[in-house]
Amino acid sequence: MATKSELEAFFIHEFPQANFRIDEVGNKAATISIEITHAHLRPGGTVSGPTLMQMADAALYVAILGEIGLISLAVTTNLNINFLRKPSADGRLTAKCRLIKMGKSLAVGDVFLYSDHIEDPVAHATGTYSIPPK
Amino acid sequence: MATKSELEAFFIHEFPQANFRIDEVGNKAATISIEITHAHLRPGGTVSGPTLMQMADAALYVAILGEIGLISLAVTTNLNINFLRKPSADGRLTAKCRLIKMGKSLAVGDVFLYSDHIEDPVAHATGTYSIPPK
Amino acid sequence: MATKSELEAFFIHEFPQANFRIDEVGNKAATISIEITHAHLRPGGTVSGPTLMQMADAALYVAILGEIGLISLAVTTNLNINFLRKPSADGRLTAKCRLIKMGKSLAVGDVFLYSDHIEDPVAHATGTYSIPPK
Amino acid sequence: MATKSELEAFFIHEFPQANFRIDEVGNKAATISIEITHAHLRPGGTVSGPTLMQMADAALYVAILGEIGLISLAVTTNLNINFLRKPSADGRLTAKCRLIKMGKSLAVGDVFLYSDHIEDPVAHATGTYSIPPK
């Protein structure tokens, strides 16, 4: 298992382009967030779909590493996302992941994505990671 | 319907951060590609999942705009992606989309993603866009 | 909105082949269950995938009709299911649905499926229904 | 690898409730079909979603067994389906599967579903099977 501070150091070293904040991790769950900037928007003032997908995928990855430790080679095998509501064009975007299966070779989790100032989730994703044998 | 050159001008103006090339568009299909750079990679020398998701989503968008014209407010409602093989860390990544339904309010398409030098697809996605009423 | 007893009468009349029990419905949620019999099994003593998919789809339908009333023409547009653990070959299979979006034209929900005697969910699904205009 | 006649005998013996016909199998592909009867319909004269899901899942299973032989314990881990058009209430429903990955532990395929008398597909599915170690 990896702690929040171990995960923060890992992402700075291994994924310097990752720009999210780890808010919570542990107990088969993780919450991460980013500040929405102009680079995340698309015409109509909506946060782009890829930004939401990237946050969903990252929240799953953080939750899994929180359980199995700093194994950078775990890879996504499937991601399914439903876009539910128009996200806010400002404030933070938060992704809350819970693992619903943490097996030896596959982990599955779901993720709710929230915008500041909007009570209901703006998107929901389900994803599977393949975990390499030790 | 929008031509390849109209779509190129549209993306430069409306989505300046989009950095893909439109290779073909028309007949309910589109092919787009990008040159893979260090920014697209993750540890292990693999193209990141979000890069593949972004290309799948963009190929769907280009194919749809090729049918309905330059309607920037069409939005993704669902995307499902399976990651099949490790993509090349260099060369181009190509996304080939075919629309399997082009309705008045919903469009559905599938996308195969290919890496240079790898014959089989590296990922496969299916997505739905909601099309705003005229 | 439709009550549990209205929904029970509706399914007996309109879907006589539906053989599940409605355990709870209301507040953008529904729980339904069936007794597993030999007809639901496949080799290896596992409940078949289609049985789990059918229950997930039905739980979504019951939850939606609980909100919008007895509109039989609402139809599934997308269903995504992850099979997590081997279900029990006996006892009841229970599907718990929560709606995460209840819009005018689209409803989206997620469903956890449980087997008697197994604490963790055996499957998880996400689905979208299209709701016909009034 | 298993031939069409070996697969037909296998399904009669192991899955007597399976009532589809194997039209073609081999070369990482399979086509199966059933005659639509009243039992497959739901209100509105539409083939039920679970019938389409069951046929998509079965077409994947037949295509995989055509490659790896008669291994009944291969199980679905993920299925995603988009319902595209109202299927015919009579005639045959045909599911055409192509495998897009046939790995040692995971196989992924896509399936187009067709109704007699309708040119375009009525549904499209993507699924993953987990293959047990030998």
Side-chain angles (χ1 to χ4, degrees):
Chain A
M1 289 168 67
T3 63
K4 183 165 172 289
S5 59
E6 285 167 345
L7 281 161
E8 287 166 344
F10 171 80
F11 280 100
I12 288 167
H13 187 262
E14 298 272 335
F15 289 83
Q17 69 273 48
N19 53 359
F20 55 82
R21 185 175 78 194
I22 300 172
D23 296 312
E24 280 186 48
V25 62
N27 295 315
K28 298 189 180 172
T31 301
I32 67 172
S33 62
I34 48 163
E35 188 73 25
I36 294 298
T37 67
H38 187 71
H40 300 115
L41 301 183
R42 42 161 292 173
T46 305
V47 176
S48 73
T51 299
L52 296 162
M53 293 189 261
Q54 184 159 11
M55 286 294 286
D57 186 53
L60 273 159
Y61 192 46
V62 171
I64 292 167
L65 297 191
E67 295 300 309
I68 65 173
L70 303 176
I71 295 170
S72 59
L73 296 179
V75 291
T76 318
T77 58
N78 174 262
L79 192 97
N80 183 63
I81 186 163
N82 285 290
F83 300 94
L84 304 170
R85 291 169 187 87
K86 187 178 168 175
S88 294
D90 53 22
R92 295 190 77 78
L93 180 79
T94 300
K96 290 177 182 285
C97 173
R98 293 170 309 167
L99 299 178
I100 56 183
K101 176 178 179 163
M102 186 64 239
K104 280 180 198 164
S105 61
L106 289 180
V108 181
D110 75 350
V111 184
F112 283 91
L113 291 129
Y114 294 92
S115 268
D116 275 0
H117 316 304
I118 300 179
E119 188 183 343
D120 289 317
V122 295
H124 175 269
T126 315
T128 303
Y129 266 72
S130 173
I131 298 163
K134 292 185 186 178
Chain B
M1 290 168 67
T3 64
K4 184 166 173 284
S5 59
E6 285 168 345
L7 281 160
E8 287 166 345
F10 171 80
F11 279 100
I12 287 168
H13 187 262
E14 297 273 335
F15 289 84
Q17 69 273 46
N19 53 0
F20 55 82
R21 185 175 79 195
I22 300 172
D23 296 312
E24 280 184 48
V25 62
N27 294 315
K28 297 189 181 172
T31 301
I32 66 171
S33 62
I34 48 164
E35 188 72 26
I36 294 299
T37 67
H38 186 70
H40 300 115
L41 302 182
R42 43 160 290 173
T46 306
V47 176
S48 74
T51 299
L52 296 162
M53 293 188 262
Q54 184 160 11
M55 286 295 284
D57 186 54
L60 272 158
Y61 192 46
V62 171
I64 292 166
L65 297 191
E67 296 300 310
I68 64 172
L70 304 176
I71 295 170
S72 60
L73 296 180
V75 292
T76 318
T77 59
N78 174 262
L79 192 98
N80 183 63
I81 185 163
N82 284 289
F83 300 94
L84 304 169
R85 293 170 186 88
K86 187 178 169 174
S88 295
D90 53 22
R92 296 189 77 76
L93 180 79
T94 299
K96 290 177 182 286
C97 173
R98 292 170 310 167
L99 299 178
I100 56 183
K101 175 178 180 164
M102 187 64 240
K104 280 180 199 164
S105 60
L106 289 179
V108 180
D110 75 349
V111 184
F112 282 92
L113 291 129
Y114 295 92
S115 267
D116 276 359
H117 317 305
I118 300 179
E119 188 183 343
D120 288 317
V122 296
H124 175 268
T126 315
T128 303
Y129 266 72
S130 174
I131 298 164
K134 291 186 186 176
Chain C
M1 289 167 68
T3 64
K4 184 166 172 285
S5 59
E6 285 168 345
L7 281 160
E8 286 165 345
F10 171 81
F11 280 101
I12 288 168
H13 188 261
E14 298 272 336
F15 290 84
Q17 68 272 49
N19 53 359
F20 56 81
R21 185 176 78 194
I22 300 172
D23 296 311
E24 280 183 49
V25 62
N27 294 316
K28 298 190 181 172
T31 301
I32 67 172
S33 62
I34 49 164
E35 189 70 27
I36 293 299
T37 67
H38 186 70
H40 300 115
L41 301 183
R42 42 159 292 171
T46 305
V47 176
S48 74
T51 299
L52 296 163
M53 293 189 262
Q54 183 159 12
M55 286 294 284
D57 186 53
L60 272 159
Y61 192 48
V62 171
I64 292 166
L65 298 191
E67 295 300 310
I68 64 172
L70 304 176
I71 295 169
S72 61
L73 296 180
V75 293
T76 318
T77 58
N78 174 263
L79 193 97
N80 183 64
I81 186 163
N82 284 291
F83 301 94
L84 304 170
R85 293 170 185 86
K86 187 178 169 174
S88 294
D90 54 21
R92 296 188 78 76
L93 180 78
T94 300
K96 291 177 182 284
C97 174
R98 293 170 308 166
L99 299 178
I100 55 182
K101 176 179 179 164
M102 186 65 239
K104 281 179 199 166
S105 60
L106 290 178
V108 180
D110 74 349
V111 184
F112 282 91
L113 291 128
Y114 295 92
S115 267
D116 275 0
H117 316 305
I118 299 179
E119 188 184 343
D120 288 317
V122 296
H124 175 270
T126 314
T128 303
Y129 266 71
S130 174
I131 299 164
K134 292 188 186 174
Chain D
M1 290 168 67
T3 64
K4 185 166 170 288
S5 59
E6 285 168 345
L7 281 161
E8 286 165 345
F10 171 81
F11 279 101
I12 288 167
H13 187 262
E14 299 272 335
F15 289 85
Q17 69 273 47
N19 54 359
F20 55 82
R21 184 176 80 194
I22 300 173
D23 296 311
E24 280 184 48
V25 62
N27 294 316
K28 298 190 181 172
T31 301
I32 67 173
S33 62
I34 47 164
E35 189 72 25
I36 293 299
T37 67
H38 186 71
H40 300 114
L41 301 183
R42 44 159 290 173
T46 305
V47 177
S48 74
T51 299
L52 296 163
M53 293 189 263
Q54 184 159 10
M55 286 294 286
D57 187 53
L60 272 159
Y61 191 47
V62 171
I64 292 167
L65 297 190
E67 296 300 309
I68 64 173
L70 304 176
I71 295 169
S72 61
L73 295 180
V75 292
T76 319
T77 59
N78 174 263
L79 192 96
N80 183 64
I81 185 163
N82 284 290
F83 300 95
L84 304 170
R85 292 170 187 87
K86 188 178 169 175
S88 294
D90 53 21
R92 296 189 78 76
L93 180 79
T94 300
K96 290 177 182 286
C97 173
R98 292 170 309 166
L99 299 178
I100 55 182
K101 176 176 179 165
M102 187 64 239
K104 281 179 198 165
S105 60
L106 289 179
V108 181
D110 74 349
V111 184
F112 282 92
L113 292 128
Y114 295 92
S115 267
D116 275 0
H117 316 305
I118 300 179
E119 188 184 342
D120 288 317
V122 297
H124 175 269
T126 315
T128 302
Y129 266 72
S130 173
I131 300 163
K134 292 186 185 175

